Amino acid sequence: MKKLNAAVDRFAYRHPNFGIPNLMKVIVAGSVLVYLLAVFANYGAVSFLMFDWSAILHGEIWRLVTFIFMPGYYSLRDAFWLAIFLYFYYMIGTTLEREWGTAKFNLYYFSGVVLTVITGVVMGLITGHAWIAGTSYVNLSMFFAFAMLYPDMRVLLFFIIPVKIKWLAWVDAAFFALSVLSSLFSGSLLGALLPVVALLNFFVFFWSNISDEISYRRGRARYQTSHQTIHFKSAARQQQKREAQQGYRHKCAVCGRTDTDYPDLEFRYCSRCAGYRCYCQDHIFSHVHFTE
C-alpha cells in the first residue's frame, strides 16, 4: 500500500497535465443527459449504457465506459434528489481537484472505475453474468476522500441541520458495511465486492494519512499511560484532596514548616530532586537533592 501510494504521488507530480480538467463537469453533464433521455423516453432508451457482461461479449464494448454516466435516477419525480446528488458530488469532486491537482484527482476517480470494471469482468467470467449501473460506490469513496481532507467542515443536512463531514463519513461507512452484508445474504457476490474495491482505492490513496494517524494515536496512548506523564487535571484533584486531609498546601521537606503555620513564608519546588519536593525559602538553595 505504501509503495502504491508513493507511486501515485510521483506520477501526479511528474505528469501534472494528465487527465481531464474539470472532470466532474463532464460526469455531471453526461449524467444529466442520460437522465433526460430516461425521462422523455424510457429506461430502455438508456439501458444500453449500463455494464452488462453478456452484451459486452456480443461486441458492445462501450458499456465498459458509459456505465459511469448512469445516474441512478430515471423518473421525473426523482429530479430533486438527482439535483442534490449531482451538486454534492460536483462540489466534492471540484474541491478534491483543487486540492490534489487534475492528475491525482483523475487517477483517484478512474482507478476506482477501473477496479469496478475489473470486478465486473471477473464476476462475468466466473458466473457468466454481471450488471453494473453507475459508479455509486466510486462516488461514495470520493466522499471518504473529502472527509479525510476536511473532517471538520460543516454542511447543512436537508438544508437545515449543520453536520460535520466526519460524522457523515461514519454514516457512509455504515452504508458500505450494510451493502456488503445485504449483498452477501442475498447471494450477490458482485454487490458485496463493489464496495470493497471502492474502499481499496481509498486506502491506496490515503495509506500514508491512515498509517500516520494510527502511529500518532498509538504514541498518544503510550504517552498517556506512561508513569512519567503528569495528567494535570487528575493531579490537581488529588492535590486538593491531600490539602483538605493534611490541612496545608506546602510543606518544607527539610524543616517541616507549612504554609498554614507560616503564611508569610515562601515555598518552592526543586526541579533537580526526584519526585515532587517542596522547600521553604530558607532551604530551597541549601538542601541536599533527593535521588531515586
Side-chain angles (χ1 to χ4, degrees):
M1 286 288 190
K2 190 175 182 179
K3 290 182 178 179
L4 283 174
N5 181 268
V8 166
D9 288 336
R10 283 197 304 270
F11 181 88
Y13 177 76
R14 293 172 181 174
H15 305 86
N17 297 321
F18 171 82
I20 304 171
N22 299 313
L23 174 62
M24 289 311 296
K25 283 186 178 180
V26 178
I27 301 297
V28 168
S31 299
V32 170
L33 179 60
V34 172
Y35 170 76
L36 293 175
L37 286 173
V39 168
F40 291 106
N42 53 56
Y43 178 75
V46 297
S47 61
F48 73 97
L49 300 174
M50 70 178 292
F51 183 104
D52 184 341
W53 178 245
S54 61
I56 292 171
L57 289 179
H58 287 83
E60 299 180 11
I61 58 175
W62 63 81
R63 293 173 180 265
L64 295 171
V65 177
T66 56
F67 79 98
I68 68 176
F69 297 108
M70 299 293 284
Y73 299 92
Y74 306 104
S75 66
L76 193 59
R77 62 176 177 272
D78 294 330
F80 174 76
W81 295 110
L82 176 67
I84 297 297
F85 169 82
L86 293 179
Y87 170 77
F88 188 65
Y89 284 108
Y90 174 78
M91 183 269 291
I92 288 175
T94 52
T95 303
L96 289 176
E97 186 170 357
R98 285 197 301 268
E99 178 71 23
W100 284 341
T102 298
K104 187 171 181 178
F105 175 67
N106 274 253
L107 280 175
Y108 186 83
Y109 191 86
F110 285 120
S111 61
V113 171
V114 169
L115 286 172
T116 300
V117 170
I118 291 173
T119 304
V121 170
V122 171
M123 290 306 301
L125 291 172
I126 294 173
T127 64
H129 56 83
W131 298 274
I132 304 173
T135 54
S136 58
Y137 293 115
V138 175
N139 292 332
L140 287 172
S141 72
M142 192 166 64
F143 176 66
F144 272 135
F146 184 81
M148 197 74 176
L149 295 175
Y150 307 100
D152 295 319
M153 179 179 175
R154 294 178 182 271
V155 296
L156 292 178
L157 188 63
F158 303 117
F159 304 102
I160 300 174
I161 308 171
V163 181
K164 287 187 177 181
I165 289 293
K166 62 183 177 182
W167 302 126
L168 292 179
W170 283 110
V171 175
D172 192 5
F175 176 78
F176 267 69
L178 182 62
S179 298
V180 172
L181 291 175
S182 62
S183 296
L184 289 175
F185 285 131
S186 64
S188 174
L189 185 58
L190 178 61
L193 286 176
L194 289 178
V196 174
V197 297
L199 284 178
L200 177 63
N201 185 49
F202 168 78
F203 283 123
V204 167
F205 277 75
F206 283 91
W207 184 252
S208 295
N209 303 67
I210 294 171
S211 58
D212 290 346
E213 181 68 16
I214 292 173
S215 299
Y216 168 76
R217 291 185 180 277
R218 285 179 177 174
R220 184 176 177 84
R222 286 196 297 268
Y223 172 78
Q224 289 178 336
T225 56
S226 172
H227 69 279
Q228 297 178 339
T229 301
I230 298 176
H231 298 277
F232 290 100
K233 290 184 178 180
S234 176
R237 288 194 297 268
Q238 293 176 4
Q239 178 66 18
Q240 291 174 356
K241 185 177 180 180
R242 282 196 297 268
E243 291 174 14
Q245 293 174 344
Q246 297 170 161
Y248 61 83
R249 185 175 185 183
H250 303 298
K251 180 179 180 180
C252 180
V254 176
C255 64
R257 290 183 292 182
T258 68
D259 57 343
T260 302
D261 298 329
Y262 299 89
D264 296 330
L265 201 63
E266 293 186 4
F267 292 84
R268 297 288 184 273
Y269 289 84
C270 180
S271 60
R272 294 178 58 188
C273 285
Y276 204 50
R277 307 289 181 174
C278 179
Y279 300 93
C280 66
Q281 62 191 40
D282 297 330
H283 297 108
I284 184 63
F285 297 113
S286 59
H287 66 275
V288 176
H289 296 293
F290 285 82
T291 58
E292 292 287 357

